[in-house]
Amino acid sequence: MTDAHLNQVLTEQECWTRLAQTEFGRLAYHLADEVHIAPVNYAVHEDSIYFRTAEGSKLLGVAMHEDVAFEIDHVADGEEVAWSVVARGKARILEGDAARQADHLRLRPWVDNQKFNVVAITVEEVTGREYHLARPWRHIVPRDEA
């Protein structure tokens, strides 16, 4: 198998399709001269990614530094293919009508706590790759079974 079959670059449209079909990702943001990463459930609308958050480090981070990255990935047991999509852009906290419009998105907290703040990431760049996994350890026979 050639390297081209092992690592395929996804088109921008393929990246957006995967972002739209998934609900769980990770937000990378700056806070106090450190990079943090946090899981969030999200929704996609047009060229933006939306999520809700409570008061805390994510909200403070995006209020202080608008530059963020967002990542989703997929690999399942038994599958020989994995993929990853990374979006980079500017985050902003929505208020008023803009925040209320997010109620029309598939955007509800997965956990039972109050998340009233809506954040939108305007995506400036989206990239993705699909990987065909070798997983050689799955083909090695343990010594006791040999």
Side-chain angles (χ1 to χ4, degrees):
M1 193 177 282
T2 66
D3 286 345
H5 291 104
L6 298 175
N7 186 2
Q8 175 186 344
V9 175
L10 300 175
T11 66
E12 183 174 345
Q13 183 57 49
E14 289 171 320
C15 291
W16 279 108
T17 297
R18 292 175 193 211
L19 280 164
Q21 292 174 343
T22 309
E23 298 179 50
F24 185 76
R26 285 170 278 306
L27 173 72
Y29 60 97
H30 299 273
L31 181 62
D33 296 328
E34 296 177 341
V35 177
H36 294 255
I37 191 160
V40 295
N41 64 295
Y42 72 96
V44 170
H45 181 66
E46 296 175 353
D47 67 343
S48 296
I49 297 168
Y50 296 80
F51 66 93
R52 289 185 180 278
T53 187
E55 302 288 329
S57 62
K58 287 188 295 279
L59 190 64
L60 182 58
V62 300
M64 293 176 66
H65 299 280
E66 65 180 359
D67 292 323
V68 298
F70 187 82
E71 190 263 348
I72 62 171
D73 54 42
H74 174 79
V75 60
D77 287 339
E79 291 186 19
E80 298 303 321
V81 175
W83 55 262
S84 175
V85 173
V86 174
R88 291 177 185 82
K90 306 285 186 201
R92 69 190 186 290
I93 302 165
L94 301 182
E95 297 178 359
D97 287 339
R100 283 188 287 283
Q101 288 178 3
D103 288 339
H104 300 292
L105 300 175
R106 180 192 62 192
L107 190 58
R108 300 291 180 268
W110 281 14
V111 295
D112 190 21
N113 61 2
Q114 303 298 317
K115 296 184 176 188
F116 296 114
N117 304 290
V118 179
V119 176
I121 303 168
T122 302
V123 176
E124 298 174 338
E125 176 188 32
V126 62
T127 59
R129 294 194 183 276
E130 186 171 273
Y131 307 93
H132 293 269
L133 307 174
R135 295 183 175 177
W137 60 89
R138 290 188 171 186
H139 308 289
I140 299 172
V141 178
R143 289 187 179 175
D144 353 345
E145 294 180 19

